[in-house]
Amino acid sequence: MLGNILSLRNELGLSTDDTLITEAQLLTLVADSLIASLNHHENVKAIPATIDVLPLLTKGLNVNVKFKKIDDIEFKRECPVFGILDIPVYHGWIIDPQDIETSNAIGSKSYDRLMEDLTDLQIRNMRTLSMNTRDPENHESDEVVKETDTSGGECSGSRIRRDGDWVTFGGTTSNEASSSAVNIVRGSAIEMTEIISGSSTSTSNENEDEVGITARQGELIKNFLENNASQLTVHGLYCLIDGIKDRELCVLFRNDHFSTMFKFEGALYTLVTDLGYIYENGVIWEKLSEVNGNTVFVDKNFRVYELEIEECTWDDEILKRKNDVCCNFLLTKWS
């Protein structure tokens, strides 16, 4: 992906005779481009550390996106590479602001934060279920009784029987005991503890923000992620078309992959790098005009290319070398 963009910008130092390049050769060329960028970048000290992480780029990038803007992407150690080489990175996993409820549920949180919130919600639900489902073999039902004195039968207090033990509380007059007897009913130990201690809902409201997302928010977040599993929304596509400048080369993050993207005459195109099209010399770009739609391929002049459906045969040598092939379409077709 980096090699493709640098080559399209004539910054990779490739020979026109090169039709195949290995992974090691590509990393060397990208490192050379980083060093060449020293004269145009202020953060000179970042170059050595950036070169050290170049091999990690071949294994994938660790990114964390937010869902409001196309350029709201957080990188880990790989971040300086794109900044030094002046390569913008975008995504189209954007929430439609007209979906107010979902937009509010997601807010400005990142993907990683949403995953933490959903996990926390699931844990809280499991704890609640566990507390509400008691083991009858290990816990006896709590029992509340009225205690009377020996003189006049007036109530002097109330007792709770919990797991065979009696706990006395609240010595009261007969009127007070009568009122307590109405409010105190047979129930779980947790419910009785709240009654005895006088716990109020105000404490719960004060800690509401610390509890985490609500069940409804969790449902909205989960639906958004599942319904847009391709990591591109309709609104996000419009944001990409509107936010990227014409003839801008950039990187698109989608489907947990990074693609070379180019905007030409108002339309977006991603560079085709699938080995399945290695023998289709007219397949260079794929038009990105729909979230889920028919694929339209174009050639190097951005003219629509019609594929001929036929059985594909693979050369054994191609299969053996495919892990080392990089920029195969760019190097063999773009010239």
Side-chain angles (χ1 to χ4, degrees), residues 218-323:
E219 180 184 8
L220 291 169
I221 293 170
K222 186 177 179 181
N223 288 341
F224 172 77
L225 297 177
E226 290 180 350
N227 294 337
N228 301 282
S230 66
Q231 298 170 347
L232 177 65
T233 65
V234 174
H235 180 71
L237 180 57
Y238 284 123
C239 291
L240 288 170
I241 295 174
D242 184 63
I244 298 176
K245 297 179 293 185
D246 204 50
R247 294 182 177 272
E248 179 180 358
L249 272 171
C250 56
V251 172
L252 173 67
F253 173 73
R254 183 188 182 191
N255 281 331
D256 290 330
H257 289 84
F258 291 84
S259 305
T260 300
M261 187 165 66
F262 185 62
K263 185 176 180 180
F264 182 71
E265 295 184 351
L268 296 176
Y269 299 88
T270 57
L271 189 67
V272 178
T273 57
D274 191 333
L275 283 174
Y277 299 102
I278 193 170
Y279 295 117
E280 296 288 349
N281 294 326
V283 175
I284 304 296
W285 300 95
E286 180 181 355
K287 190 173 184 179
L288 183 61
S289 57
E290 297 182 23
V291 175
N292 296 301
N294 296 326
T295 298
V296 176
F297 294 110
V298 298
D299 60 18
K300 63 182 181 180
N301 296 315
F302 296 93
R303 293 175 301 197
V304 176
Y305 181 82
E306 298 293 341
L307 284 173
E308 296 182 3
I309 307 300
E310 59 182 17
E311 184 178 356
C312 180
T313 58
W314 289 90
D315 184 86
D316 291 339
E317 184 65 20
I318 292 294
L319 286 174
K320 185 176 68 174
R321 298 185 304 174
K322 71 175 182 178
N323 291 330

Side-chain angles (χ1 to χ4, degrees), residues 166-189:
W166 288 98
V167 179
T168 303
F169 70 97
T172 63
T173 64
S174 59
N175 290 336
E176 291 170 340
S178 245
S179 175
S180 298
V182 173
N183 294 324
I184 302 176
V185 295
R186 190 183 304 270
S188 68

Side-chain angles (χ1 to χ4, degrees), residues 30-99:
V30 173
D32 291 340
S33 295
L34 282 170
I35 296 174
S37 300
L38 281 172
N39 297 330
H40 308 285
H41 200 275
E42 297 178 358
N43 193 6
V44 177
K45 296 180 179 179
I47 298 296
T50 304
I51 293 178
D52 289 339
V53 303
L54 279 181
L56 300 178
L57 300 179
T58 62
K59 309 300 181 183
L61 302 179
N62 188 5
V63 300
N64 187 22
V65 306
K66 294 184 178 181
F67 305 90
K68 296 291 187 180
K69 299 185 297 182
I70 61 174
D71 60 349
D72 211 345
I73 301 180
E74 299 175 355
F75 287 90
K76 305 302 181 181
R77 295 180 60 194
E78 303 90 345
C79 181
V81 176
F82 297 94
I84 294 173
L85 294 175
D86 193 25
I87 297 177
V89 183
Y90 303 117
H91 77 95
W93 208 1
I94 309 297
I95 179 68
D96 189 342
Q98 294 185 359
D99 185 353

